[in-house]
């Protein structure tokens, strides 16, 4: 029995991660699996930052083989839009968003009930494997929800990774023309011999100290900052505005603010840099696939809950077989970058960058090794397809 169609529901809580993951998943299901995908998004303005063709005012549009529809979580007001609306073979509520009750009723009443998945946030914690694929019956309707967890271990759903990603990366890395085209698009003049760093981050108390360290250091550093929170902080540090296409030279530091690019083009930036500072969830995964040293600014949560997640991820990195000082350099800079108390002192922050810089070749080898291992988990989209096909076979809910 085959799965052929998907409804994916996304609410944009904050920033770009929710829509970033949903849009990537939707494209992959449509393009690599040939499935029909309807992507429901509550904030088309945020979506348009990742995919500029999106018209925020449109009630129905097609992009990259995906049907895009607006919706309002937690209300039946605008749902369902057509009287003959029928849910697709799989209904995904991304990150526990609140599906309209009218939709759940349609799902329960369908002659072949859809497979219902809650796609969870990414975490490297050990408990994820125990909760992956767990079920939860609806309290009133004859429906069962399945929890699907992305992750870094064999007992999880793995990570999103397009089938052609490795080949695209290799082609980019070996093509000076593709690299020149990137710099042209970004309005950047590459500085020969400089350490090239991309910096995608939330506002970060350590940023001024790091910029000063690069400015005053012996090595030329070119730092590329996408428009957004970190770019605003850079402007504050400089005490002046900084615009795309106009680099700032400060001692040994060249600063470029670069445009926020469409999602398919974000990888080029990561592939072209020696070190990538990334944040949240989706850009972390992309930086891993880029196989370059990376520094993770994790999405802050109440009660410092994110620190447990960060430390679980760092612990996994330290277990892949890197030397103790390499793992320590990664942990030190990530702790400093995420505001751990031990690193509030600027001298310790500077030492954290210096240790990371000294370990750069070993970090590059380690991250490359890790991303090769992670590819063995299979990619999240394909794992979701297999899981749903097995569910539909077992329950006989969907005709083949
Ligand atoms: O934007 P984020 O901080 O999103 C966050 C996290 O996902 C977090 O876990 C979640 O809880 C919170 O949102 C609500 O970081 P993230 O996940 O990396 O998403 C950024 C997306 O933006 C990613 O898909 C890459 C994309 N991007 C572009 O398309 N172009 C760009 O120029 C840049 C810098 C990013």
């Amino acid at each position: 029995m085959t799965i052929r169609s998907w409804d994916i529901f996304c609410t944009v809580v904050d920033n770009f991660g929710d829509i970033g993951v949903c849009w990537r998943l939707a494209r992959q299901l449509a393009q690599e699996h040939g499935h029909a995908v309807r992507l429901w998004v509550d904030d088309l303005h945020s979506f348009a930052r990742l995919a500029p063709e999106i018209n925020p005012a449109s009630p129905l549009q097609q992009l990259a083989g995906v049907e895009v529809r607006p919706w309002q979580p937690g209300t039946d007001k605008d749902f369902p839009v057509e009287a003959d609306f029928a849910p697709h073979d799989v209904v995904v509520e991304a990150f526990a968003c609140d599906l309209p009750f009218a939709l759940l009723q349609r799902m329960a009443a369908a002659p072949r009930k859809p497979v219902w998945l809650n796609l969870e946030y990414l975490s490297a914690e050990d408990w994820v494997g125990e909760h992956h694929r767990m079920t939860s019956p609806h309290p009133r309707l004859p429906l069962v929800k399945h929890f699907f967890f992305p992750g870094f271990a064999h007992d999880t759903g793995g990570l999103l990774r397009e089938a052609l990603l490795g080949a695209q990366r290799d082609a980019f890395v070996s093509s000076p023309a593709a690299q020149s085209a990137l710099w042209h698009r970004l309005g950047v003049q590459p500085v020969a011999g400089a350490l090239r760093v991309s910096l995608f981050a939330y506002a970060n108390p350590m940023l001024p100290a790091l910029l000063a360290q690069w400015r005053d250091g012996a090595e030329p550093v070119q730092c590329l900052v996408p428009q957004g929170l970190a770019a605003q902080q850079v402007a504050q540090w400089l005490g002046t505005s900084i615009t795309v296409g106009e680099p700032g030279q400060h001692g040994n530091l060249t600063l470029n603010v670069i445009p926020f690019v469409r999602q398919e083009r974000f990888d080029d930036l990561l592939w072209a840099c020696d070190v990538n500072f990334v944040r949240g969830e989706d850009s972390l995964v992309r930086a891993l696939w880029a196989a370059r040293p990376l520094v993770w600014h994790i999405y802050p949560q109440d009660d410092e809950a994110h620190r447990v997640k960060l430390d679980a991820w760092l612990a996994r990195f330290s277990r892949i077989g890197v030397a103790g000082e390499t793992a320590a350099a990664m942990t030190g800079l990530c702790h400093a970058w995420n505001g751990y108390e031990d690193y509030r002192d600027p001298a310790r922050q500077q030492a954290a960058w210096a240790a990371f810089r000294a370990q750069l070749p070993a970090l590059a080898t380690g991250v490359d090794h890790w991303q090769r291992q992670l590819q063995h988990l299979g990619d999240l989209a394909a794992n979701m397809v297999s899981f749903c096909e097995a569910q539909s076979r077992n329950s006989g809910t969907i005709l083949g």
Side-chain angles (χ1 to χ4, degrees), residues 80-343:
V81 277
E82 302 100 16
D84 61 348
F85 172 85
H88 277 330
D89 296 344
V90 184
V91 174
V92 178
E93 57 176 61
F95 316 122
C97 67
D98 195 4
L99 293 182
F101 192 65
L103 168 71
L104 294 171
Q105 286 174 314
R106 296 280 178 110
M107 288 162 62
R112 293 175 294 277
K113 290 193 192 91
V115 181
W116 179 14
L117 295 186
N118 176 15
L119 176 62
E120 285 285 351
Y121 283 113
L122 174 64
S123 175
E125 291 162 274
D126 288 336
W127 61 263
V128 165
E130 289 154 35
H131 289 72
H132 177 52
R133 299 169 173 230
M134 273 178 71
T135 55
S136 165
H138 191 276
R140 276 168 291 156
L141 298 172
L143 288 172
V144 175
K145 173 157 67 177
H146 304 265
F147 293 88
F148 210 87
F149 281 83
F152 298 86
H154 279 284
D155 53 3
T156 71
L159 302 168
L160 282 176
R161 187 173 200 278
E162 298 81 1
L164 294 179
L165 187 68
Q168 287 167 345
R169 179 184 176 276
D170 292 348
F172 179 88
V173 168
S174 58
S175 165
Q179 290 159 36
S180 297
L182 168 71
W183 301 132
H184 182 72
R185 281 198 305 276
L186 297 181
V188 167
Q189 185 68 41
V191 176
L195 182 77
R196 200 173 297 132
V197 179
S198 77
L199 203 145
F200 181 44
Y202 308 112
N204 190 312
M206 182 183 162
L207 184 60
L210 187 60
L211 295 174
Q213 189 172 6
W214 288 339
R215 178 194 61 201
D216 302 336
E219 175 180 47
V221 174
Q222 183 167 27
C223 179
L224 310 173
V225 192
Q227 285 171 315
L229 296 171
Q232 289 162 17
Q233 212 192 342
V234 167
Q236 269 171 17
W237 179 73
L238 293 171
T240 173
S241 62
I242 172 163
T243 46
V244 172
E246 289 178 16
Q249 191 65 47
H250 309 275
N252 244 343
L253 170 64
T254 308
L255 269 170
N256 293 85
V257 169
I258 55 174
F260 195 94
V261 295
R262 59 181 305 115
Q263 195 186 45
E264 296 92 321
R265 284 281 150 120
F266 178 55
D267 293 309
D268 296 5
L269 174 67
L270 304 175
W271 298 336
C273 288
D274 302 304
V275 181
N276 294 306
F277 284 68
V278 285
R279 72 181 204 194
E281 183 168 320
D282 190 56
S283 58
L284 168 74
V285 174
R286 306 315 284 184
L288 278 168
W289 298 144
R292 297 281 156 87
L294 69 149
V295 186
W296 187 19
H297 197 183
I298 193 168
Y299 184 73
Q301 287 177 272
D302 291 342
D303 304 325
E304 310 282 5
H306 54 284
R307 292 193 177 188
V308 177
K309 289 174 94 168
L310 176 64
D311 286 330
W313 182 79
L314 289 167
R316 283 194 188 275
F317 178 68
S318 69
R319 290 199 296 265
I320 61 164
V322 286
E325 61 266 33
T326 309
M330 175 73 119
T331 298
L333 189 57
C334 284
H335 280 184
W337 193 235
N338 285 279
Y340 280 47
E341 288 73 16
D342 285 356
Y343 290 91

Side-chain angles (χ1 to χ4, degrees), residues 9-12 40-43 70-76 97-100:
F9 286 82
C10 173
T11 54
V12 176
W40 304 79
V41 184
D42 71 336
D43 174 1
W71 74 300
Q72 287 186 33
T75 168
D76 285 357
C97 67
D98 195 4
L99 293 182

Side-chain angles (χ1 to χ4, degrees), residues 62-86:
Q62 290 279 343
L63 187 60
V66 175
E67 182 180 316
V68 177
R69 303 245 196 148
W71 74 300
Q72 287 186 33
T75 168
D76 285 357
K77 197 159 65 75
D78 295 337
F79 203 92
V81 277
E82 302 100 16
D84 61 348
F85 172 85

